[in-house]
Amino acid sequence: MTTWPMTTTQPSPFVAASPEDLEPAFAAAVAAGDLDAIVGLYAADAVVSLPRGREAAGHPAIREAFAAALAAGVLHESGACGEDASSVPAVSVRALVTGDLAMTTSSRADGSVCTQVARRGADGGWLWVRDGSRLRDADACLPSASRGLVVA
């Protein structure tokens, strides 16, 4: 199991010019272990699906979920989760855009697909607002009862 070092620098000034730009930015942030950059790809009101039907809502809960994934070594540059996922690179990234919303998908050689919803902000940049698949199978991301985060 590979663990990635985490950094806690200030969020980068990266602005996704298109929804398709989010996936490669995510891969670069994971490769760098840059937790701020990962969280910075999500809107402040974003929701990320976790295992067992749970959800991380908002930046604090999303930060904790991704920090746990990085620390446990279950998040890989490919964006896939799991101990065997490090060798499963994204082979295609697509977006279906309608107005200021887009559904983004990334497919992998093993047939797995990650799906997110992105929203265009007032600055014209794109951020994910819903991530239904990236951490869904990563039990390490579940919060402990003692931390009091907003998790449904």
Side-chain angles (χ1 to χ4, degrees):
M1 173 171 37
T2 304
T3 57
W4 297 98
M6 286 186 286
T7 63
T8 54
T9 61
Q10 293 300 312
S12 70
F14 173 80
V15 175
S18 73
E20 295 92 342
D21 292 341
L22 292 166
E23 187 69 29
F26 180 86
V30 170
D34 190 341
L35 186 57
D36 288 330
I38 293 170
V39 175
L41 297 173
Y42 291 86
D45 60 345
V47 176
V48 174
S49 293
L50 301 175
R52 301 183 209 144
R54 308 286 302 273
E55 295 180 325
H59 278 169
I62 292 169
R63 174 180 296 283
E64 184 164 336
F66 278 108
L70 286 168
V74 297
L75 188 61
H76 304 282
E77 291 176 50
S78 67
C81 287
E83 291 185 14
D84 298 325
S86 60
S87 62
V88 186
V91 294
S92 68
V93 177
R94 293 172 302 284
L96 176 62
V97 179
T98 180
D100 289 336
L101 293 175
M103 180 180 73
T104 62
T105 62
S106 55
S107 302
R108 293 176 170 64
D110 69 351
S112 64
V113 177
C114 283
T115 304
Q116 298 83 24
V117 176
R119 178 176 61 213
R120 184 181 1 237
D123 64 355
W126 291 86
L127 294 173
W128 281 318
V129 293
R130 185 72 168 105
D131 188 337
S133 54
R134 195 174 307 279
L135 297 179
R136 184 182 55 217
D137 298 322
D139 282 339
C141 298
L142 287 172
S144 71
S146 65
R147 292 187 283 227
L149 291 176
V150 180
V151 179

